[in-house]
């Protein structure tokens, strides 16, 4: 009897000890996801590749090409009277193509530049004088663009300056016997080698329309004197303006 009571007591004590040693339930915290700040899209409405780039590499690059339309705008003096020579000039279709680079900042702004190759020309015909010109220019725009990063319609506006360097072209003039003789010249002998103008543009998506007003003289001094000798007209103002419609493909 005593032995049975001792076995029963040992069994009760063993069960009590096992219950006291039950493991505790420990809840571990879930790892928190790192929030990545959103990067605003570019002015053309596409996703900015800077979102996948390391910090500090936000430049976006692309290629552009399109139609370029230019016109001469000069004033001449004939017989003491000043008149606008625009009525006697005719624009010739041109083209432009190049590389572009854009750097967004401030959420709704971007700095835009690049290198373009543009071809344009115009003709002149008046009282027996006929002229045809072609000019090839390498241009470097410096623009600031404003765009809405969350706009439903990706419209943007831009403004800036445009610097051009003459790289080639031709000038051909013919006239009646009373105007004397003209020797064909190279573009560098007639046009100014450097040009500077203002640019205002508006765009939608990948398309951009720009108005360019050149602030420098179209002809150099040698050409201005030759023109006066050939036609008897004195050039008092000789600027040019242009319009372009381009399409940009961003990498």
């Amino acid at each position: 009897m005593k032995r049975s009571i001792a076995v029963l007591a040992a069994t009760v004590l063993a069960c009590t000890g096992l219950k006291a040693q039950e493991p505790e339930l420990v809840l571990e915290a879930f790892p928190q996801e790192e929030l990545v700040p959103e990067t605003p899209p570019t002015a053309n409405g596409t996703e900015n590749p800077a979102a996948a780039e390391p910090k500090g590499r936000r430049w976006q690059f692309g290629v552009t090409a399109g139609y370029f339309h230019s016109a001469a705008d000069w004033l001449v003096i004939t017989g003491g009277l000043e008149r606008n020579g625009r009525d006697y000039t005719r624009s010739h279709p041109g083209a432009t193509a190049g590389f572009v680079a854009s750097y967004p900042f401030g959420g709704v702004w971007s700095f835009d530049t690049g290198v373009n190759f543009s071809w344009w020309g115009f003709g002149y015909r008046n009282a027996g004088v006929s002229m045809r010109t072609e000019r090839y220019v390498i241009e470097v725009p410096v623009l600031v663009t404003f765009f809405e990063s969350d706009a439903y319609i990706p419209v943007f506006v831009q403004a800036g300056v445009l610097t051009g360097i003459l790289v080639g072209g031709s000038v051909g003039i013919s006239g009646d016997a009373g105007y004397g003789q003209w020797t064909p010249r190279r573009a560098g002998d007639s046009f100014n080698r450097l040009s500077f103008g203002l640019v205002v543009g508006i765009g939608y998506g990948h398309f951009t329309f720009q108005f360019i007003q050149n602030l420098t003289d179209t002809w150099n001094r040698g050409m201005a004197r030759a023109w006066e000798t050939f036609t008897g007209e004195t050039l008092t103002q000789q600027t040019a303006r242009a319009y372009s419609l381009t399409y940009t493909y961003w990498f």
Side-chain angles (χ1 to χ4, degrees):
M1 183 68 179
K2 294 182 179 180
R3 179 178 300 179
S4 299
I5 295 174
V7 171
L8 180 60
T11 302
V12 173
L13 291 177
C15 293
T16 305
L18 291 175
K19 185 176 180 179
Q21 295 177 3
E22 290 183 356
E24 297 181 359
L25 180 62
V26 179
L27 298 179
E28 297 183 358
F30 289 99
Q32 296 182 354
E33 295 183 358
E34 183 179 357
L35 298 178
V36 179
E38 295 183 357
T39 303
T42 57
N44 58 23
T46 60
E47 182 180 355
N48 191 339
E53 299 265 349
K55 185 177 181 181
R57 297 180 57 188
R58 300 181 59 191
W59 282 97
Q60 182 181 12
F61 301 94
V63 293
T64 183
Y67 177 75
F68 193 86
H69 183 91
S70 63
D73 185 8
W74 59 39
L75 298 177
V76 297
I77 297 178
T78 306
L81 299 178
E82 186 177 65
R83 61 179 177 81
N84 196 322
R86 183 187 308 174
D87 298 333
Y88 305 98
T89 61
R90 296 293 182 268
S91 300
H92 296 160
T96 181
F99 299 91
V100 293
S102 179
Y103 184 87
F105 64 93
V108 295
W109 301 94
S110 67
F111 170 79
D112 299 281
T113 185
V115 178
N116 302 326
F117 177 81
S118 300
W119 164 77
W120 63 270
F122 64 90
Y124 177 91
R125 183 182 295 275
N126 178 37
V129 178
S130 178
M131 176 177 63
R132 181 181 177 87
T133 70
E134 292 183 354
R135 186 165 74 160
Y136 308 103
V137 183
I138 293 179
E139 300 170 326
V140 178
V142 179
L143 307 172
V144 174
T145 301
F146 172 80
F147 61 94
E148 286 288 348
S149 59
D150 57 349
Y152 180 74
I153 301 177
V155 176
F156 58 91
V157 293
Q158 56 186 194
V161 297
L162 181 70
T163 301
I165 303 175
L166 184 71
V167 294
S170 62
V171 179
I173 298 179
S174 61
D176 296 338
Y179 287 96
Q181 299 295 324
W182 174 267
T183 302
R185 299 188 174 204
R186 297 175 301 174
D189 297 331
S190 304
F191 290 106
N192 272 333
R193 295 185 178 274
L194 297 177
S195 60
F196 180 81
L198 301 178
V199 181
V200 178
I202 184 171
Y204 173 81
H206 293 266
F207 290 93
T208 306
F209 175 81
Q210 291 182 337
F211 170 75
I212 306 168
Q213 179 63 57
N214 194 4
L215 302 179
T216 55
D217 291 340
T218 304
W219 306 114
N220 57 28
R221 293 182 179 179
M223 176 62 178
R225 289 193 296 266
W227 181 262
E228 182 176 355
T229 302
F230 189 75
T231 64
E233 298 176 343
T234 302
L235 295 175
T236 60
Q237 178 180 325
Q238 39 163 329
T239 57
R241 64 192 182 281
Y243 310 89
S244 68
L245 179 63
T246 57
Y247 178 86
T248 303
Y249 175 80
W250 298 97
F251 299 128

